[in-house]
Amino acid sequence: MLHLILVRHGETEWNKERRYQGQADIPLSSTGKQQAKLVAKRLVEYKFDAIYASDLKRARQTASAITEKNNLTIISEPRLREMSFGVLEGLTWNEAQEQYPEVVTAWLNDYNQPPEGGESLEVFTARITSFLNELKQKHEGQIVLLTAHGGSLGEFLRLVLGLSSEGRWYFEMENASLSEILISKDFVSLKRLNETCHLISLKG
């Protein structure tokens, strides 16, 4: 059985401003750094066999907080990156509609028609599938932490649970949230999804 802990990175300023981040390398905000410390405290009970993080700064900073008190090396994994949104990165939804209305319409009608410089849904799904298959082969019987992004982790769960392509919208994953899933040859068990109780001290 493969035991996976999924952590979305802490908050960035672009998250706060609700901007498309995609593969822009935005660091954690001061709040995001606090969130990373709190999720690290929440995970202290787990003994991980491996820790993978998206190679984007916000995910690696979150993973670094989690690994601060153990000797595990973070494995940098580009396949865990968020989907690339091309020319829309850095824009809010309203700004994207104002500056690229035809591009946004075409993209929303068919996610395999990405914005200029962006990534098609097929390519995105293929890289997440590739990484999932590799994890199953390399880490049977182990506990593995993945620190990444809402989009990539949501797609990861969709594939593991065998949901349709529309299923990627079923999962809400807040910043520094914790999800947990067990994968065996015979069954899949989603133990927790979008758990954020460890962040309660920041929500007062």
Side-chain angles (χ1 to χ4, degrees), residues 35-161:
Q35 291 174 333
K37 290 179 180 179
L38 290 171
V39 75
K41 185 176 181 181
R42 170 66 181 82
L43 292 171
V44 71
E45 66 191 72
Y46 289 90
K47 304 299 180 184
F48 296 112
D49 295 290
I51 296 177
Y52 290 84
S54 158
D55 62 342
L56 296 177
K57 189 177 296 181
R58 55 195 184 271
R60 286 191 59 82
Q61 286 179 311
T62 304
S64 293
I66 297 170
T67 61
E68 193 172 298
K69 294 184 179 180
N70 63 48
N71 296 319
L72 281 178
T73 298
I74 299 168
I75 303 169
S76 186
E77 180 48 74
R79 286 174 292 180
L80 278 174
R81 284 185 175 198
E82 183 60 279
M83 177 185 278
S84 172
F85 302 124
V87 295
L88 301 186
E89 291 183 5
L91 304 179
T92 65
W93 168 249
N94 288 339
E95 289 169 346
Q97 287 187 310
E98 290 171 3
Q99 296 181 35
Y100 300 99
E102 294 181 359
V103 170
V104 170
T105 298
W107 184 47
L108 293 179
N109 286 333
D110 181 359
Y111 287 102
N112 284 312
Q113 293 187 41
E116 181 181 348
E119 185 175 27
S120 71
L121 181 58
E122 288 181 352
V123 171
F124 176 62
T125 298
R127 66 174 164 87
I128 300 297
T129 300
S130 169
F131 181 58
L132 171 59
N133 290 338
E134 185 175 305
L135 282 178
K136 290 177 179 178
Q137 293 174 359
K138 292 177 64 174
H139 296 290
E140 174 65 24
Q142 296 184 342
I143 302 176
V144 178
L145 172 68
L146 307 182
T147 305
H149 312 270
S152 56
L153 293 178
E155 180 69 356
F156 198 93
L157 284 177
R158 182 189 75 80
L159 291 167
V160 170
L161 295 171

